[in-house]
Amino acid sequence: MIAHLFNAPVGEDETAVGVGTVGSSEAIMLAGLAFKRKWQKKRREQGKPFDKPNIVTGANVQVCWEKFARYFEVELKEVKLKEGYYVMDPEKAIEMVDENTICVAAILGSTLTGEFEDVKKLSELLTDKNKETGWDTPIHVDAASGGFVAPFIYPEIEWDFRLPLVKSINVSGHKYGLVYAGVGWVIWRSKEDLPEELVFHINYLGADQPTFTLNFSKGSSQIIAQYYQLIRLGFEGYKNIMENCRDNASVLQEGIERTGCFEVVSKDVGVPLVAFSLKDSSKYSVFDISESLRRFGWIVPAYTMPPNAEHIAVLRVVVREDFSRGLAERLVSNIQKVLREMDAQPAPVSTKVAQATRKNDVTQDHKTVAKKDVTDAPKDITNYWKRLVDRNKTSGVC
């Protein structure tokens, strides 16, 4: 069912294969291992060195890609980001591809901003490079977040097995697959894309059972839950849920933009989420806002972008099927309240001002009035904020 969803060529001559995993992390490691082994086999047959494999990705990849590279001794060549462009640039990625590249990894739904990378353009550029060099560098699509989104509300976007160079795709069932945590999937375009040497066959349970996994004994509840959701909801059911998530994300984005304090960095087309940064961080930061929202029961992550956009810090709200329009409006209201409270706080005192003030200590009424040290100002602000929080504490229920 998932292979069909990703437009895999299923017929007498071509049959997609796949495996259930513990999240997309295992799925990515299995896919990467398959690419590495296939590349090594070809290089060995050609009598060429096969000890320095690499993968080309954007700097916005999930940490599981770094784990794969380190665990399986593969160089990770990252395309750096830049302000205003927080996904992998296809042209720069192609420049990094060489004869040792086992695959180029594209992301359908960046963790940072939810944006879809342009897999079609990447495929076109890589096809041209393969023709020029005689290589056959393939593409893997990390669709952990977007794999259960794009097919339902953005069917016109070509990112999957419709592109010949896409050889494998991973997706998380516990993100937008609507299953509880612990299930992922990896699909290969055909059996030829998964080296048989990696597949083990057992028959002690009464029949031949092929297995390709890095994990061992695990329950089947998530597999059953995924199957149940696919059967129960069907294509139209998933489509309705994803459309609702997208609409609620739009409501949230409009409310955040109305505050006039934020710049939205996420895109309209992508995973239903809103990522936004402060226009002015001179008085407080997104980390302060994230911390303040916790007293209303919200856990809104704040983080900095990867190289070379580390100076950009954002907040991110992921909109799932249980995030209603009412919750979106409540979050906007709470953000507005936090902004008003923070605007009412004393402005930070710079080091130069504090030092200059200290030099001007005076005697009033025969008493020396000691001016505060630069370290005292942040303490005063912190104490003021703590008193404000204690005074306005709620139950924390959202």
Side-chain angles (χ1 to χ4, degrees):
M1 286 186 284
I2 298 175
H4 275 290
L5 190 65
F6 296 163
N7 294 294
V10 179
E12 294 182 1
D13 299 329
E14 296 180 293
T15 303
V17 295
V19 62
T21 60
V22 179
S24 275
S25 294
E26 183 189 10
I28 285 169
M29 293 193 186
L30 294 179
L33 188 56
F35 281 121
K36 181 182 177 182
R37 287 298 179 88
K38 192 169 183 179
W39 173 82
Q40 286 178 323
K41 181 179 179 181
K42 183 175 181 179
R43 298 281 291 182
R44 191 182 291 110
E45 291 173 350
Q46 295 174 338
K48 297 180 179 180
F50 52 89
D51 60 333
K52 295 182 179 180
N54 68 68
I55 286 181
V56 175
T57 70
N60 55 318
V61 292
Q62 255 279 7
V63 68
C64 55
W65 282 99
E66 298 178 28
K67 289 182 179 179
F68 166 76
R70 190 174 302 177
Y71 295 166
F72 293 97
E73 299 180 327
V74 176
E75 180 188 1
L76 192 65
K77 301 171 72 172
E78 294 184 339
V79 178
K80 302 304 180 185
L81 309 184
K82 61 182 180 181
E83 185 173 350
Y85 197 90
Y86 304 115
V87 292
M88 180 177 68
D89 185 330
E91 295 182 357
K92 292 183 178 179
I94 296 303
E95 292 174 1
M96 290 186 171
V97 173
D98 58 32
E99 62 179 350
N100 293 321
T101 302
I102 63 176
C103 79
V104 180
I107 303 178
L108 192 79
S110 171
T111 300
L112 304 176
T113 63
E115 187 175 350
F116 294 162
E117 293 183 343
D118 194 342
V119 186
K120 184 177 181 180
K121 182 177 181 180
L122 176 68
S123 179
E124 292 171 349
L125 294 173
L126 189 55
T127 298
D128 292 340
K129 184 154 189 174
N130 284 341
K131 288 180 180 179
E132 293 173 4
T133 59
W135 305 333
D136 58 353
T137 308
I139 294 173
H140 174 85
V141 179
D142 180 357
S145 297
F148 278 114
V149 175
F152 301 109
I153 56 178
Y154 305 113
E156 72 283 358
I157 298 178
E158 294 183 33
W159 61 274
D160 50 21
F161 291 120
R162 285 171 288 182
L163 304 175
L165 285 185
V166 175
K167 301 300 182 181
S168 57
I169 300 172
N170 69 276
V171 63
S172 292
H174 58 242
K175 288 187 173 72
Y176 287 92
L178 309 182
V179 181
Y180 33 83
V183 62
W185 306 92
V186 56
I187 310 294
W188 285 272
R189 184 184 192 88
S190 66
K191 290 182 179 179
E192 288 70 30
D193 295 311
L194 175 58
E196 181 62 29
E197 65 193 79
L198 295 176
V199 181
F200 293 83
H201 294 265
I202 59 173
N203 63 4
Y204 55 76
L205 295 178
D208 178 65
Q209 291 186 327
T211 174
F212 178 34
T213 177
L214 294 177
N215 283 284
F216 302 94
S217 299
K218 59 183 178 183
S220 61
S221 57
Q222 293 97 336
I223 308 295
I224 296 170
Q226 184 75 84
Y227 181 73
Y228 171 78
Q229 289 286 60
L230 292 171
I231 293 296
R232 174 180 177 270
L233 296 173
F235 189 92
E236 289 301 319
Y238 269 89
K239 181 180 179 182
N240 291 338
I241 291 173
M242 298 310 151
E243 286 177 339
N244 187 59
C245 289
R246 180 188 59 191
D247 293 344
N248 288 336
S250 297
V251 170
L252 178 61
Q253 177 175 327
E254 291 169 4
I256 289 172
E257 289 176 329
R258 279 198 304 271
T259 66
C261 297
F262 299 103
E263 179 183 353
V264 174
V265 299
S266 51
K267 304 298 182 181
D268 293 334
V269 176
V271 175
L273 63 80
V274 184
F276 50 103
S277 61
L278 274 169
K279 292 180 179 179
D280 180 8
S281 301
S282 60
K283 288 191 64 176
Y284 46 83
S285 69
V286 293
F287 301 97
D288 298 322
I289 295 174
S290 174
E291 183 66 26
S292 299
L293 285 171
R294 286 177 177 265
R295 65 190 172 94
F296 295 102
W298 299 103
I299 300 178
V300 181
Y303 51 88
T304 55
M305 292 294 189
N308 291 331
E310 305 98 322
H311 59 289
I312 305 297
V314 302
L315 292 156
R316 184 195 64 194
V317 180
V318 178
V319 178
R320 299 282 297 274
E321 72 278 5
D322 55 351
F323 191 93
S324 65
R325 179 170 183 149
L327 282 177
E329 293 171 345
R330 182 185 299 181
L331 176 55
V332 171
S333 175
N334 293 153
I335 290 174
Q336 291 172 334
K337 186 172 184 179
V338 166
L339 291 174
R340 288 194 298 269
E341 293 171 345
M342 287 191 163
D343 285 334
Q345 292 183 57
V349 179
S350 69
T351 303
K352 291 183 179 179
V353 173
Q355 290 174 343
T357 304
R358 192 169 182 81
K359 290 179 181 178
N360 295 324
D361 286 356
V362 296
T363 301
Q364 296 178 355
D365 298 330
H366 307 290
K367 292 181 180 180
T368 301
V369 180
K371 298 300 182 181
K372 293 185 177 181
D373 185 77
V374 64
T375 58
D376 293 329
K379 291 179 182 178
D380 288 347
I381 295 173
T382 301
N383 292 333
Y384 170 84
W385 180 241
K386 286 181 178 179
R387 291 195 300 272
L388 191 65
V389 170
D390 291 338
R391 188 165 65 245
N392 293 282
K393 270 188 176 178
T394 65
S395 63
V397 178
C398 67

